Amino acid sequence: MAVYSMTGYANVQKSTASGTESSAVNAQQIGLELRSVNSRFLDISFRLPDSARHLEALFRDALTRSLRRGKVELRLTVNRSRQDGPEDPSAAHMHRLAALQNHVRNWMPDAKPLSVADVLRLCSADDSAEVSIEADDATALVQDAIAQLKKARASEGERLKSILLAQVGQLRELGLRAQPLIPKLVEQQRERFLQRWNEALKVGNGAPLPEAANDRALAEATAYAIRIDVAEELNRLQSHLTEIEQLLGKGGEMGKRLDFLIQELHREANTLGSKSAALELTQISVDMKVLIEQLREQVQNLE
């Protein structure tokens, strides 16, 4: 199954004609445009001419059945033209334009009178508002647009998938770099604790302590070494990375699951940094956080 981004664009056009043999044929050019960006949920908005408002429910149903997440805008445009040239203006149009012209020129005597081209253009604009779209045409248009949008979202999703897998690979390498440092760092911290313990004894009267006190010191050193041991965090981090790779390989709807895994990765990287007792581990933690933040930004675009 494909990996889908929430970012995509589609634009489809359809020509329809209406009229009778005894009248000039009117051609309608219908355009349907879909734009999609990321969103936590499916958020649909419409930009429709007044004559196509009744199609909103049809469009919404088609989109909700095909898409899961994203902020989607649907825009419908309709242009009508007569195939045999301009239509003769009606008497009502002529009368209205003449009245409007007289009213304007009463206030603005220097205004130029309407030309023939102006009259034809204004009457054509009035006619183009009266458009009709059949439900079958609207259904075919929106289905074609959705198919194009999903294709665009799948193409963008594949690009994001390759970026995410590369970043996951870099995080895995950082984890593998940190792994060999753990036993050495734990032993170093244990020895440092015992050294400071012995130095503290020298500051005192130098009297030998009971064997129980020495055992207690050794136990404290061991407990401290365990507290700074980040092996568990690194193992969990590798496990989360494996799950991300599996999700990307499986495809389909995964954005919310990936959001959760990114949060877990960030928690492990934070813990690694807070437990770090060496500069090298601290730098690895910082590099991990940078990559995880980049992952988060990319994952926000996945469906």
Side-chain angles (χ1 to χ4, degrees):
M1 189 178 297
V3 175
Y4 289 99
S5 167
M6 286 186 281
T7 302
Y9 175 80
N11 190 350
V12 295
Q13 304 286 330
K14 182 178 178 63
S15 296
T16 61
S18 61
T20 63
E21 293 181 359
S22 61
S23 65
V25 176
N26 295 327
Q28 288 185 159
Q29 183 72 18
I30 308 173
L32 193 148
E33 185 180 274
L34 288 176
R35 296 177 183 271
S36 173
V37 294
N38 62 310
S39 176
R40 290 186 63 192
F41 308 101
L42 182 60
D43 181 8
I44 305 174
S45 60
F46 298 94
R47 298 179 63 183
L48 307 175
D50 290 339
S51 57
R53 290 291 178 188
H54 64 286
L55 297 173
E56 182 174 324
L58 183 152
F59 291 148
R60 186 180 296 277
D61 181 63
L63 290 169
T64 53
R65 282 189 284 107
S66 302
L67 306 175
R68 294 293 176 267
R69 296 176 68 197
K71 183 177 178 61
V72 182
E73 179 186 84
L74 183 150
R75 180 179 182 183
L76 186 73
T77 57
V78 184
N79 296 311
R80 198 176 89 171
S81 62
R82 296 179 63 84
Q83 294 182 355
D84 64 343
E87 183 179 4
D88 295 338
S90 66
H93 282 152
M94 298 288 285
H95 179 75
R96 184 166 180 267
L97 288 175
L100 289 172
Q101 177 178 245
N102 291 335
H103 180 70
V104 171
R105 297 193 71 186
N106 284 336
W107 288 91
M108 304 173 64
D110 295 334
K112 294 174 61 177
L114 289 172
S115 66
V116 174
D118 292 334
V119 172
L120 292 176
R121 178 175 53 81
L122 291 171
C123 290
S124 175
D126 288 342
D127 283 342
S128 64
E130 300 298 328
V131 296
S132 61
I133 306 174
E134 299 294 332
D136 290 344
D137 291 334
T139 300
L141 267 176
V142 73
Q143 293 297 342
D144 288 347
I146 289 173
Q148 282 192 22
L149 181 66
K150 293 187 73 172
K151 184 177 180 181
R153 287 169 63 142
S155 177
E156 177 66 12
E158 286 301 312
R159 187 186 71 83
L160 290 176
K161 175 181 176 180
S162 63
I163 293 174
L164 291 171
L165 287 175
Q167 291 169 337
V168 166
Q170 293 177 53
L171 280 169
R172 195 179 291 281
E173 288 178 8
L174 287 172
L176 293 176
R177 276 175 48 193
Q179 201 78 37
L181 300 175
I182 298 172
K184 181 180 177 181
L185 290 173
V186 169
E187 184 59 29
Q188 284 179 350
Q189 292 304 311
R190 185 171 178 272
E191 291 177 359
R192 186 178 302 174
F193 182 92
L194 291 176
Q195 181 181 357
R196 290 180 178 177
W197 173 266
N198 291 329
E199 290 174 354
L201 291 180
K202 292 178 182 179
V203 174
N205 54 19
L209 291 177
E211 184 177 352
N214 287 324
D215 291 342
R216 177 64 183 273
L218 185 60
E220 290 290 339
T222 303
Y224 177 73
I226 292 174
R227 284 198 299 273
I228 66 169
D229 188 355
V230 293
E232 186 176 351
E233 284 75 13
L234 290 175
N235 287 336
R236 284 198 298 264
L237 186 139
Q238 296 289 354
S239 176
H240 296 327
L241 293 176
T242 298
E243 186 171 357
I244 290 174
E245 289 173 334
Q246 291 174 347
L247 285 172
L248 291 171
K250 182 180 179 182
E253 188 177 352
M254 67 180 72
K256 293 182 179 179
R257 179 63 180 171
L258 286 177
D259 281 338
F260 171 76
L261 289 172
I262 296 299
Q263 293 176 13
E264 293 301 305
L265 285 176
H266 199 272
R267 181 179 291 111
E268 304 304 340
N270 272 336
T271 305
L272 177 64
S274 63
K275 285 186 173 184
S276 175
L279 182 60
E280 190 172 357
L281 264 183
T282 301
Q283 185 59 53
I284 288 175
S285 172
V286 171
D287 292 342
M288 282 183 173
K289 291 178 184 178
V290 172
L291 281 170
I292 291 168
E293 192 58 35
Q294 292 173 356
L295 272 176
R296 187 196 305 278
E297 292 175 1
Q298 300 297 338
V299 164
Q300 297 302 315
N301 293 316
L302 289 181
E303 187 176 52

